Amino acid sequence: MENLISLVNRLQRACTALGDHGEETALPTLWDALPSIAVVGGQSSGKSSVLESIVGKDFLPRGSGIVTRRPLVLQLHRIDEGREYAEFGHLPRKRFTDFAAVRKEIADETDRETGRTKQISSVPIYLSIYSPYVVNLTLIDLPGLTKVAIEGQPESIVMDIENMVRSYIEKPNCIILAISPANQDLATSDAIKISREVDPKGERTFGVLTKIDLMDKGTDAVDILEGKAFKLQFPWIGVVNRSHQDINKNVDMIAARRREREYFAQTPEYKHLAHRMGSEHLGKVLSKHLEAVIKSRIPGLQSLINKTIIELESELSRLGKPVATDAGGKLYMIMEICRMFDGTFKEHLDGVRPGGDKIYNVFDNQLPAALKRLQFDKHLAMENVRKLITEADGYQPHLIAPEQGYRRLIETALITIKGPAEAAVDAVHAILKELVHKSISETVELKQYPSLRVEVGNAAIESLDRMKEESKKATLQLVEMECSYLTVDFFRKLPQDVEKGGNPTHSIFDRYNDSYLRRIGSTVLSYVNMVCGSLRNSIPKSIVYCQVREAKRILLDHFFTELGKKEGKQLGTLLDEDPAIMQRRVSLAKRLELYRAAQAEIDSVAWSK
């Protein structure tokens, strides 16, 4: 099962490369779900020495105050043979065989993130060590807990460090390695205090007791190591680290381990515990436990990864495709988005989406109501008929019939139909404009590019304006046609007058009697109503032909023609996506790649087991 730890190591490195290292993000992070071992302790608790003992190398910066100012993710890889070496996540192709150089790079990389200050940062440093003398294990070394700020540090640093440590160890997948010095009262141990807060039952905490060899004479740590003084679910492990004198003399780590084994084997108080004491035993116990925890978490990891992949794909779909880099790609992209908009617009007109029915309402209700309001019967009242008929005679009264009067009565009545005809054109134009705006808002891809959205909207409205003018011209021509040519058959079918229209010897104002004028008015009204009925059918046909049909057919043709003349840079201005959205898409795409790779790797491990 050693490949389980290697798998988690790879996933943790990938998470850090993406900036997904346990900080709050919009999506649950894979880092949070991966089992890890966090090393917690107060300053001068021997935390660094424990880590170096497990590794068998001097590689951690030393000094006074807060030395560890960024989390250090230490990944140990056991190799069968060969020279020991180290690699940093931020220097992936550089091997370090000199561990003094490793120590310097940790300090330098810390400064690169925090500046040459005493500030801290939550962004981890990744260090992988390959050696035949280590066990497969991953440890996260956290800044040492402190009670006071030193010179150059803000007062808040005490809480900042505590909050950072807590953010790691409060996660249910975190195994806590609590380092406490034996020469101090365990009740005051920073590591035990904070571990108890997040893990009150001690189910995730391994207690490590350092500096056992430095306890006052006559005292020992047996009660603690046997779990009597402070009980944890896992047995306490004691270690004896190198002294400052040993470190200054560069005492070999192998020799230090041998002396540690001898100390527990030869000290009477600890002989019975010697088999489970020391840094070597600590490394093996942690490695075995980490493997077991990873194995138990595989189903949960698979579930989280599958769910997150769906969420990432969904959000990427909402954000839309990335902008093409070449002019041809940009033009194609714009055309495709315009076609999507055009398709949505047509769906509104064709009834797939709502809105097109409003046009039918114009023809079925608004136009007939407007024609009805013209009230031709009032226009053809007897006084008005008398006035127009007599005026039409001019200085020379008609001898037989007032034909010119007939024509004027009909023309003046029919000309009023232009008003409702124009109103119908305008009403349909307003509906088409409304559907354009609605279609733009419903075309998801247009929301991505504000400039393109404006340009498409303007182009569509300009196109509708041109169609409206053509429609108005054609529709008014229908009315003018009716005015310019009267249907002869209608009048031929009328009953012939016997009197021929009054007595020509009378005055011009009374030569037509009332009954005859009423008959003229009635005849004209019948003809006007007949023409009005015909226009009621032909006006909608004209409007549909000139506006609705053309809008469906060539709404963006002019826009497409102009697009073809633009260069790549001009096309790019239309695809002016919000930089934040672009960055979000890149981030999501990388995260999705990580999760898909994790899915494949974890699935292969799950099947193999």
Side-chain angles (χ1 to χ4, degrees), residues 263-272:
Y263 175 84
F264 284 110
Q266 295 173 6
T267 304
E269 292 85 356
Y270 305 121
K271 272 185 180 180
H272 65 296

Side-chain angles (χ1 to χ4, degrees), residues 79-135:
I79 54 177
D80 293 333
E81 56 184 20
R83 190 177 181 185
E84 298 166 284
Y85 66 93
E87 285 182 352
F88 284 94
H90 60 276
L91 300 170
R93 286 176 291 279
K94 184 175 181 180
R95 286 190 176 187
F96 289 77
T97 53
D98 179 1
F99 282 80
V102 171
R103 181 186 302 117
K104 182 177 185 303
E105 181 58 32
I106 291 173
D108 291 346
E109 176 60 16
T110 298
D111 288 343
R112 278 192 282 271
E113 180 68 27
T114 62
R116 293 189 176 277
T117 65
K118 300 295 183 180
Q119 297 292 339
I120 61 170
S121 167
S122 61
V123 179
I125 297 173
Y126 260 85
L127 175 63
S128 294
I129 294 178
Y130 299 81
S131 169
Y133 311 112
V134 298
V135 291

Side-chain angles (χ1 to χ4, degrees), residues 367 371 376 414 417 482 526-540:
L367 178 61
L371 291 172
F376 296 120
L414 292 181
I417 299 176
E482 295 291 351
S526 297
Y527 182 79
V528 169
N529 283 336
M530 180 192 76
V531 172
C532 195
S534 174
L535 287 173
R536 178 179 167 177
N537 292 323
S538 57
I539 286 172

Side-chain angles (χ1 to χ4, degrees), residues 591-607:
R591 196 177 298 276
L592 181 59
E593 185 180 351
L594 162 67
Y595 276 76
R596 281 176 177 160
Q599 184 184 51
E601 293 206 47
I602 289 176
D603 285 351
S604 66
V605 169
W607 280 108

